[in-house]
Amino acid sequence: MKLTIYNTLAREKQVFEPLHEGRAGMYVCGPTVYGDPHLGHARPAITFDVLFRLLKHLGYKVRYVRNITDVGHLEHDADDGEDKIAKKARLEQLEPMEVAQYYTLRYHKAMELLNVLPPSIEPCASGHIIEQIQLVEDILKNGYGYVSDGSVYFDVEKYNKDHRYGILSNRNIDDMLNVTRELEGQEDKRNPVDFALWKKAQPEHIMRWPSPWSDGFPGWHCECTAMGKKYLGDHFDIHGGGMDLIFPHHECEIAQAVASQGSDIVRYWMHNNMITINGQKMGKSLGNFITLDEFFTGSNKLLSQPFKPMTIRFFILQAHYRSTVDFSDEALVAAEKGLERLLEAYAHLHKLQAADASTVSFGNLREKCEEAIYDDLNTPIVISLLFDASRIINSLYDGKGTISAVDLEEVKSVFKIYLEDILGLQAAGEDVSGGNTEAYRKAVDLLLSIRQQAKMNKDWTTSDKIRNEMTAIGFKVKDTKDGYEWNL
């Protein structure tokens, strides 16, 4: 069975065939660190985390590069105007790198809570100015850029005559010329569709570096091309990001790569779809975003309660990565309940006792899960298969049927691989143990055993106090005929 992924450039699903046997190179556009991470940041992080996990599960040695954008003009028409990080630094009287560092750390913390694995390399735009200058020099040398009053622009019309600009987004340059408006402050461009490779800094611009053309800063699109080449080579396997980056960012990346070296550096372009609220894209620029911290604390008027990071992850994975996810509080509540049922069944699975023979069948669970995840990361189908298996597990837990030792170990293995290792859903909830999970669980069990003893002694005050206070801080305690069960 072979992994297929949807290649945005080819506009079809293709079998993944890495450039180098046993190795895979992947570059994903990371966050712009000028504000708290929000739900829109979580989706690409989780999507490509699943791909990262799957490639490693398949035995590939993966180099996963995810950049941090800490310099550059970041809007789609952003060859002019004030850099967002610099603007925040000016308003808060901070150094720009203070702003970038603060929000980078907050992003890392949110990703850790969401159980997103750290990338192999996480380069920053500001740390690769030399590489971006070299990229611009290569483009100029090959005749696809021009210098204008200290700034350098990419000559889209000339490039389009030799190659094709718009190959990823399927846009026609003549149509773009007809609809592109003249923007104030861009008179130094030859053509409105040209984009900045290097911008001369105005006197008030505080983020600047020396270059052969002026003291200035690189254009937004340069960073990913330059850093992708540096860490993954002139050709690598996968470049991912949100669908909103197809044009102009990734389109410009393709043009820059071809203009600098004669060929595109990427074999497979992958894009996750957007998260919406009432059908409208969620994002900072629209002012309708909810930060991840607000989800975790419930401190947003659109939320009825706090939601655990694993609920957010599960909510996102319930939809295929190329489908739109429409946010609502009701959908999150439903996701929370669904995840609880799935994790409860997983806990029940580990408490089952093997019998001599099985009276139930899980079918070809492993093969079906493989088929779904290998089919362009179809996480909703994997989740539905695990839910189907959960119903059988719960039936066994209730004493309705038996399962052999071989079958029990097989189901445990499938759940471990797909629920935990690939989907990244932590079976015991968020790790609040400081890393010592076993000691943490033993401490909780000790406390609940004290409660059990208090109940046996009819010390209802102590028993109720332990249960009520554990419930107040997020534990769910359930009394059973054999004692108790608990989870977070």
Side-chain angles (χ1 to χ4, degrees):
M1 195 177 296
K2 294 185 177 181
L3 170 64
T4 63
I5 53 179
Y6 186 88
N7 187 347
T8 308
L9 185 61
R11 294 174 179 81
E12 65 180 7
K13 283 191 283 189
Q14 297 180 332
V15 174
F16 175 68
E17 296 177 343
L19 279 166
H20 305 286
E21 186 176 355
R23 291 187 288 153
M26 180 168 75
Y27 188 102
V28 173
C29 289
T32 303
V33 286
Y34 69 94
D36 276 330
H38 56 79
L39 196 60
H41 289 130
R43 191 166 199 199
I46 291 170
T47 295
F48 293 102
D49 181 60
V50 170
L51 178 58
F52 183 32
R53 290 166 176 270
L54 178 57
L55 290 172
K56 292 202 300 179
H57 170 72
L58 292 173
Y60 291 106
K61 183 178 180 181
V62 186
R63 178 173 289 175
Y64 175 18
V65 181
R66 185 184 68 207
N67 71 300
I68 293 288
T69 297
D70 60 353
V71 60
H73 290 286
L74 310 170
E75 297 290 353
H76 286 352
D77 294 325
D79 288 341
D80 290 272
E82 188 172 11
D83 181 284
K84 291 182 177 182
I85 294 172
K87 180 179 180 180
K88 200 169 190 73
R90 176 176 56 78
L91 292 174
E92 298 184 12
Q93 296 184 317
L94 299 169
E95 282 290 328
M97 289 302 104
E98 284 185 274
V99 174
Q101 177 72 357
Y102 176 79
Y103 288 112
T104 297
L105 293 175
R106 291 182 68 80
Y107 175 77
H108 286 161
K109 180 61 177 175
M111 294 304 105
E112 181 182 350
L113 290 171
L114 291 168
N115 200 26
V116 171
L117 299 176
S120 314
I121 304 173
E122 190 175 56
C124 297
S126 63
H128 296 77
I129 301 299
I130 292 173
E131 289 82 0
Q132 293 176 77
I133 289 174
Q134 182 62 59
L135 174 69
V136 177
E137 289 180 330
D138 290 343
I139 293 171
L140 284 170
K141 181 178 66 177
N142 292 334
Y144 293 109
Y146 58 90
V147 181
S148 178
D149 191 27
S151 294
V152 185
Y153 292 98
F154 191 93
D155 192 332
V156 172
E157 193 166 20
K158 183 175 182 181
Y159 172 85
N160 191 63
K161 289 177 182 177
D162 298 334
H163 305 283
R164 182 195 165 193
Y165 183 77
I167 191 170
L168 184 65
S169 58
N170 202 28
R171 299 192 182 204
N172 182 288
I173 189 171
D174 294 327
D175 294 337
M176 286 188 274
L177 287 169
N178 291 332
V179 301
T180 302
R181 57 190 174 90
E182 293 283 355
L183 296 173
E184 185 179 350
Q186 297 193 20
E187 294 82 3
D188 53 348
K189 288 184 179 185
R190 291 179 185 172
N191 195 308
V193 298
D194 294 347
F195 57 89
L197 299 170
W198 184 267
K199 282 297 292 181
K200 178 181 178 180
Q202 298 303 311
E204 67 276 6
H205 201 101
I206 58 178
M207 297 181 79
R208 60 174 69 213
W209 291 265
S211 79
W213 315 287
S214 64
D215 279 3
F217 46 89
W220 170 35
H221 312 302
C222 288
E223 62 179 280
C224 292
T225 306
M227 293 189 291
K229 284 167 66 73
K230 179 177 177 65
Y231 294 110
L232 295 171
D234 291 343
H235 300 93
F236 60 87
D237 297 307
I238 298 167
H239 194 320
M243 202 170 283
D244 56 331
L245 296 178
I246 292 176
F247 186 86
H249 186 47
H250 289 164
E251 196 73 76
C252 293
E253 279 196 62
I254 291 175
Q256 289 171 158
V258 174
S260 64
Q261 67 179 36
S263 59
D264 187 14
I265 60 178
V266 180
R267 297 190 72 190
Y268 303 93
W269 287 88
M270 292 182 68
H271 296 89
N272 64 273
N273 214 320
M274 299 294 100
I275 292 182
T276 60
I277 296 181
N278 297 323
Q280 187 178 37
K281 176 195 165 187
M282 178 184 287
K284 278 187 169 68
S285 60
L286 298 173
N288 65 350
F289 67 96
I290 303 174
T291 69
L292 291 173
D293 189 61
E294 287 174 330
F295 278 107
F296 302 157
T297 61
S299 57
N300 187 290
K301 63 182 180 181
L302 296 176
L303 302 173
S304 62
Q305 64 180 67
F307 291 97
K308 296 176 186 176
M310 283 303 98
T311 299
I312 303 300
R313 186 176 179 106
F314 182 72
F315 170 69
I316 288 172
L317 292 176
Q318 280 183 303
H320 190 271
Y321 77 91
R322 288 191 287 113
S323 301
T324 302
V325 174
D326 197 49
F327 160 81
S328 70
D329 183 75
E330 293 79 11
L332 274 180
V333 170
E336 179 181 63
K337 292 177 180 177
L339 180 60
E340 286 177 355
R341 291 197 304 272
L342 194 58
L343 295 181
E344 182 180 52
Y346 190 35
H348 288 167
L349 176 63
H350 286 277
K351 295 176 182 177
L352 295 179
Q353 298 296 316
D356 293 336
S358 296
T359 60
V360 298
S361 172
F362 287 87
N364 299 318
L365 180 60
R366 184 184 295 270
E367 290 78 6
K368 289 178 180 177
C369 287
E370 284 181 357
E371 183 180 357
I373 202 68
Y374 289 7
D375 183 16
D376 196 28
L377 311 183
N378 203 327
T379 58
I381 297 298
V382 174
I383 289 171
S384 70
L385 290 167
L386 295 179
F387 268 120
D388 289 342
S390 293
R391 284 191 281 273
I392 301 174
I393 292 168
N394 289 335
S395 178
L396 290 167
Y397 184 76
D398 291 336
K400 300 173 183 176
T402 59
I403 185 169
S404 69
V406 171
D407 289 344
L408 180 58
E409 290 308 308
E410 168 66 6
V411 177
K412 284 182 179 178
S413 172
V414 172
F415 265 74
K416 174 67 168 61
I417 290 170
Y418 288 94
L419 186 67
E420 292 194 75
D421 296 348
I422 295 177
L423 297 186
L425 294 167
Q426 294 177 318
E430 290 68 56
D431 182 6
V432 294
S433 65
N436 196 339
T437 307
E438 185 62 27
Y440 168 72
R441 289 175 178 171
K442 287 181 178 179
V444 175
D445 284 332
L446 175 61
L447 183 60
L448 289 176
S449 68
I450 293 172
R451 176 176 176 267
Q452 285 293 103
Q453 188 63 48
K455 286 176 62 180
M456 290 174 61
N457 295 336
K458 298 186 179 181
D459 182 0
W460 309 119
T461 301
T462 300
S463 171
D464 292 344
K465 179 179 176 62
I466 292 173
R467 176 168 184 160
N468 292 341
E469 294 197 8
M470 290 187 70
T471 301
I473 60 176
F475 286 88
K476 294 182 179 178
V477 180
K478 179 181 178 182
D479 291 315
T480 68
K481 62 180 180 180
D482 298 320
Y484 59 83
E485 294 176 357
W486 66 270
N487 59 62
L488 271 172

